[in-house]
Amino acid sequence: MIPYGRQDISDADIAAVVDVLRSDWLTQGPAIERFEQAVASYSGARYAVAVCNATAALHIACLALDLGEGDLLWTSPNTFVASANCALYCGADAGFVDIDGASYNLDPDQLEAKLAHAAAHGGKLPKIVIPVHFAGQSCDMARIHALSQRYGFAVIEDASHAIGASYQQARVGCCAFSDMTVFSFHPVKIVTTGEGGMVLTNRRDLYDKLVRLRSHGITRDPAMMDESPEGAWSYQQVELGFNYRITDLQAALGTSQLTRLDAFISRRRYLAKRYDRLLEGLPLERPRGSQLASSAWHLYVIRLHLDALGKDRRQVFDELRARGIGVNVHYIPVHTQPHYRRRGFAAGDFPVAEQYYREAISLPMFYALDDARQDQVVAALREVLA
Ligand SMILES: *Cc1c(COP(=O)(O)O)cnc(C)c1O
């Protein structure tokens, strides 16, 4: 089976992890800060906080902005459940803004309309909006930022798919149009640490808070303590935090992987262009690029022209799987998950995301996918769609 995504681990990656195993620190050591600095400097953000996964990163990012009971967070329905669950972890409500049918990202027109409607009718406005850079292509951040200024919400970019992508000539992660950006280092993502995530920000106050929340809400900084420290052993828990730490083993793997990020991205861009060429003329929609953003190509998603096919997505999916092509589907709209239906959402609430979902298939896309195996994917697809 050709998988839809796969990590690529080099001998240098392995050596970096082994070095940590032989060192004094398996966790809370120097490899973590090195990883944070490498990602911050690559992305152009001032501060970075590495954590155990992107789900934890989203959680503490929301807490750092004081999201809590009675608050509202909006995100895209076309995402992994973690982008919305972070609101519920904080005791807040999650809501959604439908996607646009070209980029499959949160639609800024619908965001604007929904904000204006809530403002005009005494509805609740969101405290946080989480745009998700679907498949590695940045949302229209300048517009979302302008709306955040007008309506007073904070912005956390869920860039789990988008390390190495850019928007308006700047790297995703620089936080030019947001308060924080989150990356995921799960093995199917672009750079991996096994499990891992990171929050980037340019705000010192958020950085300090994120560092405390990552580790139990504990500080060793005398300036933060309620009374002066008893001795050199002193620490104080000044708020309720978690153990969301990443290990030095993982951080060393991440730093080593990062040295190949540009190669990862250029291979993915090459494969995307090649798919574009090879799929021409088939009854499907290829991903559409954007003038403003250069994608990291976490995913290559096609949309089937079901009317022309006389087959549904499930048939096409099953027939591809039967031919050894490990296709996948991204994403089941979050609001249609049972947990969200029980919270009052229903099928039909976000029709663009739902229509997109019925037609979408993610083709194999990863660094080590070679041309021959990509040809195999395309040949299988041609057969199934014939
Ligand atoms: C993978 C992913 C997450 C969660 O990442 P983990 O590191 O697995 O917790 C969140 N949001 C999106 C959009 C993702 O793709």
Side-chain angles (χ1 to χ4, degrees):
M1 183 81 81
I2 302 175
Y4 87 90
R6 194 189 193 282
Q7 72 277 10
D8 189 82
I9 301 296
S10 68
D11 289 343
D13 292 341
I14 293 167
V17 174
V18 171
D19 280 349
V20 172
L21 280 170
R22 295 190 200 284
S23 78
D24 293 335
W25 302 89
L26 299 187
T27 191
Q28 295 178 278
I32 293 168
E33 221 167 285
R34 275 202 292 274
F35 183 40
E36 291 170 339
Q37 280 169 7
V39 176
S41 101
Y42 180 91
S43 311
R46 217 165 285 150
Y47 307 105
V49 180
V51 291
C52 52
N53 55 60
T55 304
L58 288 163
H59 184 193
I60 61 172
C62 289
L63 287 175
L65 292 165
D66 295 320
L67 189 74
E69 220 168 299
D71 291 330
L72 180 60
L73 176 152
W74 287 352
T75 188
S76 167
N78 183 34
T79 186
F80 186 56
V81 292
S83 316
N85 287 346
C86 53
L88 311 188
Y89 295 157
C90 298
D93 279 320
F96 302 92
V97 178
D98 210 345
I99 60 171
D100 85 65
S103 69
Y104 318 140
N105 275 332
L106 183 150
D107 181 348
D109 288 334
Q110 299 216 42
L111 175 60
E112 180 162 13
K114 192 166 167 146
L115 288 163
H117 186 269
H121 296 83
K124 196 186 279 181
L125 287 164
K127 185 164 184 169
I128 298 174
V129 171
I130 301 190
V132 180
H133 303 321
F134 178 73
Q137 173 153 288
S138 175
C139 295
D140 187 348
M141 290 309 301
R143 273 200 65 197
I144 293 168
H145 176 74
L147 291 169
S148 77
Q149 300 301 104
R150 189 145 115 227
Y151 289 97
F153 57 84
V155 178
I156 301 169
E157 298 174 68
D158 183 343
S160 292
H161 301 181
I163 192 168
S166 55
Y167 171 76
Q168 290 191 355
Q169 324 303 336
R171 291 241 168 87
V172 167
C174 70
C175 301
F177 297 104
S178 64
D179 297 281
M180 285 173 276
T181 301
V182 166
F183 290 138
S184 170
F185 307 119
H186 183 278
V188 298
K189 308 292 163 70
I190 288 171
V191 160
T192 191
T193 59
E195 294 275 0
M198 200 175 280
V199 190
L200 292 99
T201 184
N202 292 321
R203 281 176 52 182
R204 178 75 205 207
D205 60 324
L206 293 176
Y207 169 73
D208 289 339
K209 201 142 185 227
L210 291 165
V211 168
R212 280 198 305 278
L213 289 167
R214 167 175 65 181
S215 198
H216 308 280
I218 281 172
T219 185
R220 290 175 186 277
D221 175 4
M224 278 297 306
M225 295 185 182
D226 279 7
E227 58 268 345
S228 53
E230 277 186 84
W233 64 87
S234 274
Y235 61 84
Q236 282 185 3
Q237 185 193 343
V238 294
E239 64 192 310
L240 186 62
F242 306 86
N243 181 351
Y244 279 171
R245 295 187 301 258
I246 194 169
T247 66
D248 280 55
L249 302 169
Q250 294 167 302
L253 177 56
T255 305
S256 178
Q257 286 257 304
L258 203 65
T259 62
R260 290 192 294 149
L261 176 53
D262 290 339
F264 289 163
I265 298 294
S266 70
R267 179 72 195 168
R268 286 171 179 275
R269 287 188 179 145
Y270 166 87
L271 290 167
K273 267 208 190 111
R274 199 159 178 276
Y275 267 138
D276 282 347
R277 186 155 43 77
L278 297 172
L279 298 178
E280 217 169 314
L282 289 177
L284 53 83
E285 200 74 41
R286 289 166 286 157
R288 273 180 249 173
S290 144
Q291 302 276 326
L292 292 171
S294 174
S295 179
W297 291 106
H298 166 54
L299 300 173
Y300 188 94
V301 178
I302 55 167
R303 251 180 112 158
L304 302 170
H305 291 164
L306 295 177
D307 293 344
L309 275 174
K311 278 183 188 177
D312 63 15
R313 190 265 314 276
R314 174 158 176 191
Q315 281 172 288
V316 174
F317 184 97
D318 289 346
E319 290 175 30
L320 286 168
R321 282 277 178 102
R323 284 167 171 74
I325 312 301
V327 285
N328 218 317
V329 173
H330 301 92
Y331 282 100
I332 302 164
V334 177
H335 68 282
T336 67
Q337 294 288 357
H339 188 74
Y340 283 88
R341 277 191 270 127
R342 283 197 288 274
R343 295 180 65 92
F345 296 98
D349 286 351
F350 302 99
V352 186
E354 293 170 34
Q355 183 61 32
Y356 155 81
Y357 165 65
R358 282 191 282 276
E359 304 167 350
I361 292 186
S362 303
L363 300 182
M365 170 58 94
F366 52 95
Y367 174 70
L369 181 64
D370 55 28
D371 291 15
R373 282 192 298 169
Q374 189 183 30
D375 289 341
Q376 235 175 292
V377 174
V378 174
L381 192 59
R382 281 189 179 280
E383 250 175 60
V384 169
L385 299 184

